[in-house]
Structure formats: C-alpha cells, structure tokens
Amino acid sequence: MIYVPETIKSAFSALALNKIRTFLTMLGVIIGVFSVVSLVAVVQGFENYITDQFDALGSNLILVTPGIGEGQDPSRAFMGNKLSLKNIDAINLYVGDKISAVTPSVRIAKTAEYKTKTYASTVVGGTYQSYSIYGLETESGTYYTKSDDSKKANVAFISSDVKKELFGDRNPLGEKIKIENTSFEVVGVAKPKGGTFDDRIFIPDTTLKTAFNVEVLSSIAVKAKEGQDPEELMREIKVALLKDMRVDDFSVVTQKDVLSSIDQILGVLSSALAAVAGISLLVGGIGIMNIMLVSVTERTQEIGLRKALGATSKNIGRQFLTEAVVISIGGGVVGLLLGYLATLAVSSFIRATIPWWAVVLAMGFSIFVGIVFGTYPALSAGKKDPIEALRFE
Amino acid sequence: MTPILQAQNVSKIYDMGTTKIEALLGVDIEIGRGEFVAIVGKSGSGKSTLMHILGLLDTPTEGEVILNGINTKGMSEKQLAQVRNSEIGFVFQSFNLLQRTTVLDNVILPLKYSSVPSSEWEKKAKEMIEIVGLQDRLKNKSNELSGGQKQRVAIARAMVNDPSMILADEPTGNLDTKTGEEIINNFLKLNSQGKTIVLVTHDDELAQIAQRKIILKDGCVVK
C-alpha cells in the first residue's frame, strides 16, 4: 500500500530532480505569503505604536486641536491655527470644576547638546500640570513647578532615552543641556514609558515660547476628573471655546475618537494590502498550475509505467496533487520565515508583530492555492491512458 | 498443465467513424504455468494490441482474458490495476526506468502499489537485484547504467511482486546482440526456476529460444 508519508517522500524526490524549477515555482507563493505577513505585521506595528501612545496618555484625556472643520482643507489647520492661551482661560472658567488638569502643548523638534554629545529630540512645552496629564513618572529629581512656569525658568525634565544618550551612566541632575543656544538645567528624569515618549524633553511652555519664539499652541490637553463622562465634558469644552473662536477653528476629540478613526484607517489599509497580497498568491497559484501541467506532459511515460505497474488513476492524481501542495506549503513556510525576518529587521523602528491569524491565513491560503491549482493537472495526469502514455516519447 | 493465461475469442476493433479497424479477430490463446512462449508477428500483425490486452492495459472489444483463474472481464480500473500489480511483470523495449532514480528505488516501485508492507520493500527489492547480478549498483542512478544493466533492473522490477507471468515486449530491441543474449539468458534462467514467460517480438530468430511460438498475422493466430 502506498501511504501518505510515502507519497510525500516521493513528491519531495520528484521536486528535487528539478530544484531550480521547483524554487522558481515556489517563488510566487513565497512572495505572496511574505507580503501578506510583513504588510500585516507593519500595519500591526502602527497600531501598536498608536495604542502605546494613547495608553501612555491615559484614558480620560481630551484634546483640543486646531482646525479641520467639516469639509475643510486640512492644511488650514496648520496655517490658520488660532489656539491660544486665552482658550485655556476659557476652559478653566467654564469647566474648571470638572477637570483635574489642563495644559497647552507646544511641540518642536530640536537637537539637544551636552558637551560633545547630541540627541535629536522633541521638545514639549507645557505647564507643571502636564506631568499628570501625560502620566509621567519620575526616575530621579522632580518635575518643574508652577513657579518655574511663571518665572519662565530654563529648566528641563528629560525622558529616559535623552538621559541615556546624553549622559550615559552619569547623574544628569543639575547639569546644563543646550538647545539652540539656550541652556537648560536638568531638574528631573522620567521613567521609561515606551514609544516616542522616551525621546522628549519637557520644559515650561512659557519658557519655550520665549526661547524659541513660538506663538501658537500645537494642542490643548485636558484631563477630566475621575467620574466625569469625557463625552459630556467634550461638549462643554466646545461650548466654552465657541466664545472666542468659530466652529471650524478647532476640534475637540477624546482619545476614543482618535483611536477609532485610526483603527478605521488601518482597517481599510489592511484589507487593501491583503487584497494585493491575495492577488500575488493567486498569481503564484497559476504558476504552480502551469509548471504542474508541464510536468505532467514531461512525465507522461512515467505515468504510463506507474499505471502498468499497478498504480490507479487515483494514485497518480494524488502523487501530482501532493507535489503541488508541497510546493505551495514550502513556499508558505519560506514566505512566513522571510516575513518574520523582515519584522525583526524593522523592529528597531516599529514594534511590528505577526498576529496569529496572519500566520493561519497565509498558510491556509497557500495550502488552498496548492489544492485548487494542483487539482486540474493531477486530474489530467490520472486520466492518461497507460498505453498512450507508455508509447509517448 | 494448468493454464495460467487464457484469451478466449478475443477481438479488438477500433471504430474510426466510417471505417472499422480490426486489430485482433477471435484470438484464442492458452499459456501453461511455467511455459516460455513467444508471440511473433510482423509490425501491424496485432501483436502489440494483443500484448496490451494480455497485460490488462487494454480491454478487448469482445472475448475475455482469464489470468491465473481470474476472469478479468468487467473489472474496474482499480481492480485491473491490482491484478496487473500482483500477476504481471512487464519488461519493455525501452526499459522505462524512472530517470535519475536509484536502481533500488526503481525496483521498489511496483511494491509501492502492492499490499506488501513498506518495511519489507527494501529487502524484497535487494533480493531481486541480486538475482540479476546488480547488487553492487544498488545506489546508482538509472541513467548511470548501460543498456543491458537497465534491462536487468527492469527484469528485477518485473519479478519483485512475484507475478504469475512476465510479459516482455521486444526486451532486446534496444540492445546489441551480445547484451541481448545475456538478457535472454536471464529469462531462460527465470523460466528454469518455474516462471512463466511471454516474449513478444517481431524477431523470428529470437523467438526460437521459446518452447512454443504463437504466430500472429493480420490480427489472427496462424500457428
């Protein structure tokens, strides 16, 4: 009796006879699976990145960002930025009792220097309250205080990566770092938080405005008190801001809104990528069918011989189908492996992960492709008349 | 002498639409156990068709073939494959070995379609390879062998399932005279050990070595 392991073994030896051809046939599936896996992993990486960011911020955060009213040109959001400190006063006035903290946020990319070392960082300006809003934790030293805010003190609270890059193992407290000709005294170091939070330098917003001549706010972050409904508070903030601004000068969003809209975008992106990758797998499948048909013709005499020696049509069909499936599974495994290596390669930029469903999908689809595109050649192999096949030269 | 193979009133007619080609007409053959029979005929005499029918690769339009007491008429494709596997050993003119496959694997091939458990395949195949004297070429690929060696592998392959008869179609046709003689000697040796051999050939001289000749002409047995 010819058992499954034996069929697989003979499929391997048949495929080994034409190594280059087998590899080229596999390549279609390899590329298909590789693209499914690595694209999904990268999209997953973006999702991880964004979730990390928001997890770091905490759930009861409301953001006021400039512009983008309905149907507006998004570029106006930056050009016509009307967010100002006046808006913060309005928020304090109207909903002050419902919020635990509010801070303007001004972000600029700057290079920090300490002695000979430099580090490209994001300088974030905010009030002393930004500490609790961003959910920061202190490794050593302290955050800057309310009086630092009002005095426009040149003080900085640095994140873990900034400390590591500029100071190494040295104690940075009391040391001066230089950002664009202005010196800042390091007053505290944050615990590592993950994501882009770890490359930041926090300074009072008042200091930032004077030192770097920045007028507008990047955003306003409001932290709701425990037990407040963020949705409700969001509406009240909107009303408060409408005293000074028109409806399309700003938008108020909760973290949930941002997350769900990003999820939506990533969802569409994933499906589009999956469709493209699916097409490449399909093309790979056609390649398999093409080569299997060539192989059936080439091996007509072998088919005749096997039949003469006692093989049934089913035996022959199964043999060719197994070869097709071995090619597609082999391609799937190699593609998966390459996809995994690709995620490792980009892991220093983005926390890309391969979700289990992508592995199942890619492997399932490659087996499916092997079966679907291997069936027709297998049937035509099985159908060959042994006499005709033996005569075939 | 119990017949091992009987062809009773076998006809094969190819229907070509307007004309009918009668390749075989009412052929009656009986081959006894342990006989060495040559089926001789010129090209076009119907000997290939007869060989295919006796080898159960083809079915007659009329008549029946009884092999080792089994009437093969009306058998399914699967049943015919089984009977071919266990009862008939084929030797072809062009050897028909699997290319770039070892001698051992070539001889194992019929066992893969038999009921013999895979643990015994190698042992059985090696025994047969030893009988044809190729034990030192077990791991050689078929394309590394000479013509005569190839045909000896084919004989070992034909013998490995211990069939009721060996059906050899022009087995020396692709070989030089000397090598051809060696192959014939192999058949004679097997025959002397009791194996039934049916040799199909156009070569009258070669047919002389058989105990009995069946001569075909225009689809009929003339002698």
Side-chain angles (χ1 to χ4, degrees), chain B residues 148-159:
Chain B
Q149 286 172 329
K150 281 182 188 167
Q151 201 58 303
R152 275 146 71 193
V153 175
I155 292 170
R157 182 180 66 192
M159 292 290 300

Side-chain angles (χ1 to χ4, degrees), chain A residues 82-135:
Chain A
K82 290 185 179 158
L83 286 189
S84 67
L85 288 175
K86 213 161 80 177
N87 304 130
I88 293 181
D89 296 338
I91 290 170
N92 272 324
L93 184 65
Y94 286 91
V95 293
D97 54 332
K98 293 177 180 171
I99 61 175
S100 63
V102 59
T103 182
S105 172
V106 187
R107 285 182 295 272
I108 46 172
K110 292 282 175 208
T111 301
E113 293 168 45
Y114 175 73
K115 292 189 173 162
T116 56
K117 300 228 169 104
T118 60
Y119 185 70
S121 136
T122 305
V123 179
V124 180
T127 65
Y128 71 101
Q129 287 188 320
S130 56
Y131 182 77
S132 75
I133 288 182
Y134 296 141

